[in-house]
Amino acid sequence: MAVEFRDYYELLGIGREATQAEVKKAFRRMARKYHPDVAEDKSSAEAKFKEINEAYEVLGDSEKRRKYDALGANWNQQGGAAPPPGGGGNYWAGPGGQEVEFEFGGTGFSDFFEQYFSGGNRRSTGYGSFSGQAGSRRGQDIEGDLMVTLEEAFSGSTRTISMRKIDPRTGAESSEEIQVRIPAGIGEGQRLRVPGHGAAGSGGGEDGDLYLRVRMAAHPDFRVKGHDLYRDLALAPWEAVLGCQISITLPGGKSVQLKIPAGTGSEDQLRMKGYGSPRKNNPGDLYVEISIETPQEVSPDERGHWEKLREISTFNPREN
């Protein structure tokens, strides 16, 4: 099945020579612009946000980026990009052993990503296990990737997934819509099982299952490590010296207050217990990593105060 090429560099608004740091910066800029929580047109913004995440999933990973760049001349082949050498198409064995082509919709990933960068079950050449009934075989399980936003992982949601099956010999098609429940607290790499939506069984054997592997969408402000969240927080010098309270909005919209102790230093890490992944029995934590930013320009009045502080301060960081 030919698929439409996705220009990930164009989606992020960067050139092919961009460094990994520039890729990350471009993603954060675009993700903040199109994040559904802040955009006026939430439906179109959500679609754009997922496209940006897909681009960052590939270009933000050095190995995937090299693979993407290596596609080279295959990008603009007539009819779309060709499957990679050695197969890689989306097939499973249907009744009688013939291969059936399939494609997903609503997972957050394009067919192009599924074809080249998914780690799911890409091709099968037979049935699953034997069933109890003589001559019957259970249908094979199939796998796909499911992009889950941090907000969905915090609050839980239900996603409608479409799956289209095509017999490559006859062109016959069938399609179905599947409701997939995303439980709150789910994490990267976990699999959601949808019973009975895999390949068809044979001779009265039961159908296989569909497994959707969770791929956490990158977030412009939070990073996910296991069940913990990490967030960078920039402070003004006086906030770090005197201490303050900062309001942090968690994924899902809840705001919490973080107390910044007086004397907080750059690269300090503050832990907020229980504000990571909202698992029932063992929720993760939120780690706030501090940096101190200095103003690039000051007014004459502000400069006078800084000069006065320099005169009266006994602090010398080079003596510590």
Side-chain angles (χ1 to χ4, degrees), residues 233-259:
L233 180 65
L235 298 178
W238 48 90
E239 290 177 317
V241 172
L242 301 176
C244 61
Q245 279 205 344
I246 301 290
S247 178
I248 294 179
T249 301
L250 299 173
K254 179 181 178 180
S255 293
V256 295
Q257 296 296 313
L258 171 63
K259 182 179 180 180

Side-chain angles (χ1 to χ4, degrees), residues 96-159:
Q98 78 271 20
E99 290 182 330
V100 179
E101 198 171 344
F102 71 96
E103 60 185 35
F104 291 120
T107 64
F109 290 106
S110 68
D111 291 336
F112 178 80
F113 181 91
E114 290 284 353
Q115 187 90 309
Y116 288 92
F117 300 102
S118 172
N121 183 13
R122 314 311 299 158
R123 179 182 290 272
S124 60
T125 55
Y127 292 103
S129 59
F130 285 97
S131 300
Q133 183 179 346
S136 66
R137 290 177 183 262
R138 180 183 182 276
Q140 281 196 321
D141 297 332
I142 60 173
E143 295 183 358
D145 290 316
L146 180 68
M147 184 186 295
V148 175
T149 67
L150 204 49
E151 287 75 16
E152 287 177 311
F154 256 64
S155 304
S157 68
T158 299
R159 183 86 63 81

Side-chain angles (χ1 to χ4, degrees), residues 244-314:
C244 61
Q245 279 205 344
I246 301 290
S247 178
I248 294 179
T249 301
L250 299 173
K254 179 181 178 180
S255 293
V256 295
Q257 296 296 313
L258 171 63
K259 182 179 180 180
I260 307 295
T264 294
S266 192
E267 300 185 4
D268 281 357
Q269 188 180 82
L270 304 179
R271 178 190 180 200
M272 301 185 72
K273 185 175 175 58
Y275 286 105
S277 175
R279 297 184 298 169
K280 290 183 179 179
N281 298 326
N282 187 23
D285 300 328
L286 168 62
Y287 292 90
V288 179
E289 299 183 336
I290 302 297
S291 64
I292 299 175
E293 303 292 331
T294 57
Q296 299 300 304
E297 297 181 1
V298 294
S299 67
D301 185 50
E302 289 173 323
R303 183 176 181 83
H305 286 286
W306 283 108
E307 290 174 343
K308 181 64 175 178
L309 178 61
R310 180 177 59 187
E311 292 174 5
I312 65 175
S313 178
T314 60

Side-chain angles (χ1 to χ4, degrees), residues 8 50 54 57-58 64 67 90 102-122 142-149 152 159-163 180 182 186-192 194 210-217:
Y8 293 140
K50 289 177 179 177
E54 179 178 313
E57 173 82 12
V58 175
K64 289 179 183 175
K67 180 179 178 182
N90 306 324
F102 71 96
E103 60 185 35
F104 291 120
T107 64
F109 290 106
S110 68
D111 291 336
F112 178 80
F113 181 91
E114 290 284 353
Q115 187 90 309
Y116 288 92
F117 300 102
S118 172
N121 183 13
R122 314 311 299 158
I142 60 173
E143 295 183 358
D145 290 316
L146 180 68
M147 184 186 295
V148 175
T149 67
E152 287 177 311
R159 183 86 63 81
T160 300
I161 302 299
S162 64
M163 188 164 64
V180 178
I182 302 172
I186 197 164
E188 173 74 23
Q190 291 184 243
R191 297 198 307 168
L192 297 173
V194 188
L210 167 64
Y211 287 91
L212 294 172
R213 185 176 47 258
V214 171
R215 306 288 286 270
M216 294 299 300

Side-chain angles (χ1 to χ4, degrees), residues 10-13 24-35 48-49 52 220:
E10 182 179 0
L11 280 170
L12 291 182
K24 182 177 180 179
K25 183 177 180 180
F27 162 74
R28 296 183 71 175
R29 181 182 68 250
M30 297 286 286
R32 286 196 177 98
K33 179 180 179 181
Y34 290 103
H35 197 287
K48 185 69 173 179
F49 182 74
I52 294 166

Side-chain angles (χ1 to χ4, degrees), residues 7-20:
D7 191 333
Y8 293 140
Y9 289 101
E10 182 179 0
L11 280 170
L12 291 182
I14 55 177
R16 303 180 61 79
E17 72 287 349
T19 64
Q20 291 303 107

Side-chain angles (χ1 to χ4, degrees), residues 53-104:
N53 255 281
E54 179 178 313
Y56 185 61
E57 173 82 12
V58 175
L59 299 186
D61 182 288
S62 297
E63 183 177 347
K64 289 179 183 175
R65 184 178 181 180
R66 282 194 297 271
K67 180 179 178 182
Y68 177 76
D69 290 342
L71 291 175
N74 289 338
W75 290 355
N76 297 316
Q77 286 189 0
Q78 186 176 3
N90 306 324
Y91 300 93
W92 71 75
Q98 78 271 20
E99 290 182 330
V100 179
E101 198 171 344
F102 71 96
E103 60 185 35
F104 291 120

